[in-house]
DNA sequence: AAGCGTTTGTGAAATATTTCACAATATTTC
DNA sequence: GAAATATTGTGAAATATTTCACAAACGCTT
């Protein structure tokens, strides 16, 4: 079992406790969660190739990390390996999937049907990972010509009702920057707890809401910095 | 000036040195570089709003970080503030832009003109950030109907010549997962030093090449983990 | 020009993350 | 079935990053 120095230093100076959430689960660092997602995809490919077991060394190499890091990551929520042999591919997959909570299908909505939003709508890569964009919303909900879009494109006015009826907890935000914060507030009011934000601004959201940012210009800028030597 | 414990512990045990690259520049942590990009965008908005100076507290709030972190980030490459007053918006902008090397326009190519690639081609958000997608490549270079794409869409066979002639150093990779590694190898052979990878696999590249990954399914998975409590 | 309020810059402390080193324990071989 | 080999799980060390705390420096007011 992994232990952390507890973030609250007040009680019992020097006392070491496992760090836990209010819900009782042990906190797993965000970086570890990202890597678990990567491990899961590597395991899927290994399984396709007919492998039954895999060592931490092989899996780590496939995921682009060090073997010890992989093992430490797994140690956050259990011990699944067999010493001398490695991990059972199928079992490890399902344990990680359980931990990530990707076992059930999550409904997602998309807000902002511009260039990028439209591309994301027709992107078929989410479903096999456990997510489904079930509807899109736009202030000006025109159905694009010459496009095979399976999802309905609805007006912003019906969004609250839709979110409540379908139990939507996550949204992809691909509106222009100037309206992003306003729309995000609206989403939060409707009960959305996770926002994947493509607008190039810093969203301000309540503490119990999570906003992940994907900013393509910043990614390019980052690359450009590190390649000039 | 900021100091690090040097990563190489061999010479002069315990000796503290500023961490530098072969080129002589001090290494700035990757996370700091990301934040510098964010500061730059916040400063641009402040300037639009007519502000001349800004305190670390105000800028940090706009960027979603703590004031001390902002100041430490800036301390990596100089001291630009005026005590008691704050930072000159214009000056700080240009200093950060200089450090990031975003002053000149960078030519970028895109490989893989599928749904996502097409959307990125028509995305007008890069240019004003200093990047321009000057051409796209695809194994099957058809020009899509009903789309206003300014860039030429070329076959893979002419890619090496194009890269050499235009001094391209960065590429956006939006091909399907199975061919991503092969195409990446090809790009590296042609002299590309930075790859922004949208394919959902872990790329293996030489040490002097940088590959940043954008994986939308993983971002969603990450959200979904942290919102269930 | 001296005092006051403000805000930067930074060494040191606190926290977080990664890596090391190796005991523990399984499989395989002879 | 004992020895050799392989590989996990993990405490401790090393490294990295963030935050604190406060001296130093500036502008403004009087």
């Amino acid at each position: 079992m992994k232990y952390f120095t507890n973030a609250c230093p007040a009680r019992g100076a020097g006392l070491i406790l496992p760090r836990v959430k209010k819900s009782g689960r042990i906190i797993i660092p965000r970086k570890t969660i990202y890597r678990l997602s990567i491990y899961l995809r590597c395991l899927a490919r290994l399984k396709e190739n007919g492998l039954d077991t895999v060592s931490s060394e092989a899996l780590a190499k496939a995921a682009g990390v060090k073997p010890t890091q992989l093992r430490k990551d797994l140690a956050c929520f259990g011990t699944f390996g067999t010493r001398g042999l490695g991990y059972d591919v199928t079992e490890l997959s399902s344990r990680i999937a359980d931990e990530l909570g990707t076992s059930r299908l999550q409904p997602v909505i998309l807000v902002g049907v511009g260039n990028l939003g439209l591309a994301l709508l027709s992107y078929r890569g989410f479903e096999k990972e456990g997510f489904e964009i079930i509807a899109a919303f736009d202030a000006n909900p025109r159905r694009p010509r010459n496009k095979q879009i399976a999802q309905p494109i609805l007006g912003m006015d019906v969004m609250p009702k839709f979110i409540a009826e379908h139990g939507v907890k996550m949204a992809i935000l691909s509106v222009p920057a100037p309206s992003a914060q306003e729309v995000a507030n609206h989403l939060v009011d409707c009960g959305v707890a996770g926002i994947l934000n493509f607008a190039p601004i810093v969203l301000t959201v309540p503490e119990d809401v999570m906003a992940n940012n994907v900013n393509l210009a910043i990614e390019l800028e980052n690359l450009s910095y590190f390649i000039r030597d």
Side-chain angles (χ1 to χ4, degrees), chain A residues 9-107:
Chain A
R11 38 180 170 164
L15 184 60
I16 305 282
L17 294 168
R19 200 165 52 166
V20 296
K21 288 192 178 183
K22 276 163 280 180
S23 64
R25 264 185 301 141
I26 292 179
I27 282 187
I28 300 183
R30 190 196 295 207
K31 285 188 167 187
T32 295
I33 296 296
Y34 268 107
R35 286 192 298 261
L36 288 178
S37 290
I38 294 172
Y39 303 152
L40 201 51
R41 282 157 186 74
C42 293
L43 286 167
R45 274 201 299 154
L46 293 175
K47 190 147 51 174
E48 280 171 20
N49 293 350
L51 288 187
D52 291 336
T53 60
V54 65
S55 69
S56 63
E57 188 175 348
L59 181 54
K61 188 167 184 187
V65 303
K66 298 235 161 110
T68 48
Q69 179 149 70
L70 165 59
R71 297 206 296 271
K72 260 284 193 283
D73 284 342
L74 299 182
C76 289
F77 61 101
T79 71
F80 327 108
T82 307
R83 296 182 192 214
L85 187 61
Y87 302 89
D88 180 273
V89 173
T90 304
E91 192 202 343
L92 187 56
S93 284
S94 71
R95 294 300 198 94
I96 294 178
D98 280 356
E99 187 59 29
L100 292 177
T102 318
S103 314
R104 62 241 150 96
L105 201 74
Q106 275 265 13

Side-chain angles (χ1 to χ4, degrees), chain A residues 158-171:
Chain A
V158 298
M159 199 171 75
K161 190 152 172 272
F162 189 96
I163 289 176
E165 281 177 358
H166 293 79
V168 174
K169 287 270 165 286
M170 306 205 302

